[in-house]
Amino acid sequence: MTGSLWVCSIELPYLLPHLASVLVSSVDVSGPVVVVRARTRSLAPAPCTGCGTPSGWCHSRYVRRLGDASLGDRPVLIELSVRRLYCENAACEKVTFAEQVPGLTVRYQRRTPLLQQVVEAAGVLLAGRGGARMLRVLNVTLSRCTVLSQLMRMPLPPLVTPRVLGVDDFALYGDTYGTLLVDATTRLPLTLWEGRDAEQLSRWLREHPGVEIVCRDGSLTYRQGIIAGAPEAVQISDRFHMWQGLSRRVQDIAAAHRSCLPAALPPTAEGDPDPDEEATDDAAADTRAGRHARRLFEAVHTLTGSGRSYSSVARELGLDRRTVRKYAHARTWQEVMRRPPRKPSALDPYRDYLQQRWDEGEHNAMILHGELRNKGYLGHYQRVKMAIAPLRRGLPLDQPRERPPSPRETARWITTHPDRRSHHVTHRLHRLLERCPELKRTHDLVRRFAAMLHNRDASSLPAWLDELSHSGLPPLTGIAGALREDQHAVAQGISTPYNSGVNEGRITDVKLQKRLMAGRAGVPLLRRRVVLIAHLRRHTDRSTTAPR
């Protein structure tokens, strides 16, 4: 279609509803841009943009060019003829002013409110560069700097002091942290700033009185800031952070009793040592690596046994301090050089065949790999090559065997509810606790605390803290002191339904927005995006779930 297309006034409100209040003279679709020419239809007085006095005294007319949301796959330009009016108030500083069309024009704005909403939404959701790319898909050409400037001009929602406040920190970059405040009732972020000192938090609480409950972690800094800014507020220590701190102490105890962890493995027949393991140890002792490991093991234990520090021993032997610590913690030299027991793999069903072919004289890994593929093996050639490597050194094939649990795995067993443990884990943990009384004592204390959290009953907390202090386990003694200093907040965290789950969810969103901006944006932009995107999502969710 070429030329200008005249659109009747009956069809136009359905096509462009925001143009219903103006008189459209023509729509030109001949070029790459749809050009809509219109003029204001009302001759009624318009309020002055300076003083608000209505005036109908027309000075002249001029054409405003407004970008509008694309129509189909083509951008739209509205050429709107508006009146310039005299202000009839002699005391007003303005002599003339331009009339505004509600829903179509905004002062000093070259975009319609409909297009401006699209630009702002793209900036909130995708920031500058991503927003500019999305707008180009929508046939709106703007630079990333323009998108960011429009985002920074958006007004923030009015801040309403919450009754229940959530406070938590998050990593900005490197060793720099920030503080995030969340309304725990509406689940919306309020603000964030760089730093996590008590003075900033107390100042915000004094400027926004009315906070009754504050959910936080065990941070001493936030505790002091809340006491200084809102002394009447009830502080609640988060259950997740308490459980996380206790789990870390359990892992420290398991690491300190690493020698007991092999007791979790099922015993061998009659308690005899594994003959394959003994053969491997004997063969390794005659190798160069075995002799080197034994020599270092004896030297490290001789020096550390005399009371010297790891750093001093490392300087004398020319080793790294971590290497000295590894040798000092080992009970035998075999522990230092032996690889951890191999995990089961897809090659296990074919190991007997590999041994048979090796005994028959076939030592080429490529040929063996091809034969295994014909038998259904789908693994890589390198796995076959590594599997027959012990045979080249005169050692037997590595057989899959169960490995002792790591300290982290042991801590997970202890902190997992008994009903959620597998049958295999239950038996391994039972054998381990029978062998190690320290881990058994730790297990009993952890399960008692879990029962308090499950029943939301903090009445036995003082007695539990006393047992923790007298447990004889330094990690538990340390956490008992920290919990006792914050006992009131801990008791509130156990017995009340409030927690910092909302904070953790919002911090995940903050980290996502921070990574989307690739670290190039400052805290003001991050604050604005985090707050605005949460309100935008809330508004979108409500509009999509509203009954029609």
Side-chain angles (χ1 to χ4, degrees), residues 379-395:
H380 197 269
Y381 154 75
Q382 288 291 341
R383 188 179 292 269
V384 177
K385 179 181 177 181
M386 294 176 62
I388 65 174
L391 296 175
R392 299 186 186 279
R393 300 193 301 269
L395 302 176

Side-chain angles (χ1 to χ4, degrees), residues 276-539:
D276 294 337
E277 193 170 313
E278 288 186 350
T280 304
D281 292 344
D282 294 339
D286 296 332
T287 63
R288 181 179 178 182
R291 291 191 295 269
H292 177 71
R294 178 183 293 180
R295 184 169 60 252
L296 284 184
F297 176 81
E298 294 173 354
V300 169
H301 275 263
T302 300
L303 295 176
T304 56
S306 61
R308 296 180 58 177
S309 65
Y310 293 163
S311 300
S312 175
V313 175
R315 286 192 298 268
E316 180 172 340
L317 298 180
L319 301 174
D320 189 85
R321 186 180 181 278
R322 290 174 293 183
T323 303
V324 173
R325 183 178 60 186
K326 180 180 69 172
Y327 275 88
H329 287 178
R331 294 174 298 172
T332 61
W333 64 270
Q334 290 89 344
E335 293 183 11
V336 181
M337 69 167 298
R338 184 191 304 151
R339 293 177 299 173
R342 186 183 54 80
K343 292 183 178 180
S345 69
L347 189 61
D348 292 341
Y350 306 97
R351 291 186 178 274
D352 293 339
Y353 179 80
L354 284 177
Q355 184 68 54
Q356 175 187 346
R357 295 290 290 135
W358 184 273
D359 295 339
E360 293 175 356
E362 182 57 67
H363 298 169
N364 190 306
M366 185 67 72
I367 296 177
L368 292 174
H369 177 255
E371 294 178 0
L372 293 183
R373 287 183 64 87
N374 293 334
K375 288 182 171 291
Y377 174 66
L378 301 178
H380 197 269
Y381 154 75
Q382 288 291 341
R383 188 179 292 269
V384 177
K385 179 181 177 181
M386 294 176 62
I388 65 174
L391 296 175
R392 299 186 186 279
R393 300 193 301 269
L395 302 176
L397 283 175
D398 290 338
Q399 297 298 324
R401 55 186 181 272
E402 203 170 8
R403 65 173 63 190
S406 64
R408 184 175 183 178
E409 189 176 8
T410 304
R412 185 169 64 248
W413 292 354
I414 293 175
T415 55
T416 301
H417 193 277
D419 295 340
R420 300 181 62 183
R421 298 175 191 152
S422 65
H423 183 72
H424 177 65
V425 168
T426 301
H427 281 280
R428 297 183 71 181
L429 181 60
H430 179 70
R431 287 193 296 265
L432 177 59
L433 298 183
E434 284 184 345
R435 176 70 178 273
C436 186
E438 290 82 4
L439 288 176
K440 179 174 178 56
R441 191 181 313 124
T442 302
H443 175 268
D444 296 339
L445 291 171
V446 168
R447 298 321 316 163
R448 287 183 54 189
F449 185 70
M452 283 190 285
L453 293 178
H454 179 74
N455 300 325
R456 291 188 177 178
D457 183 10
S459 59
S460 57
L461 178 63
W464 182 78
L465 291 176
D466 292 337
E467 292 188 24
L468 218 62
S469 302
H470 298 89
S471 62
L473 302 171
L476 295 185
T477 304
I479 195 175
L483 293 178
R484 198 182 299 277
E485 292 178 1
D486 200 22
Q487 185 170 341
H488 179 71
V490 171
Q492 292 291 329
I494 294 174
S495 57
T496 60
Y498 300 107
N499 57 71
S500 297
V502 174
N503 306 3
E504 298 298 333
R506 286 302 176 188
I507 285 177
T508 301
D509 186 59
V510 169
K511 293 178 179 178
L512 173 62
Q513 307 309 324
K514 182 168 63 72
R515 293 188 180 107
L516 285 176
M517 294 186 289
R520 291 191 292 267
V523 175
L525 178 59
L526 179 62
R527 179 192 305 116
R528 187 170 294 269
R529 286 198 64 216
V530 168
V531 174
L532 290 176
I533 198 172
H535 285 79
L536 179 62
R537 288 172 178 168
R538 179 65 58 87
H539 175 73

Side-chain angles (χ1 to χ4, degrees), residues 69-99:
S70 60
L71 188 62
D73 59 345
R74 302 173 67 181
V76 176
L77 176 65
I78 300 176
E79 294 182 353
L80 179 65
S81 175
V82 297
R83 294 179 297 168
R84 182 177 294 278
L85 304 171
Y86 287 104
C87 181
E88 300 182 8
N89 183 7
C92 181
E93 295 180 355
K94 285 185 173 293
V95 179
T96 62
F97 64 94
E99 65 174 332

Side-chain angles (χ1 to χ4, degrees), residues 234-254:
V234 177
Q235 300 189 38
I236 297 179
S237 185
D238 183 50
R239 294 190 293 272
F240 167 77
H241 290 92
M242 290 188 289
W243 186 255
Q244 184 184 50
L246 183 60
S247 301
R248 290 174 179 171
R249 301 312 191 279
V250 174
Q251 183 173 342
D252 294 340
I253 296 173

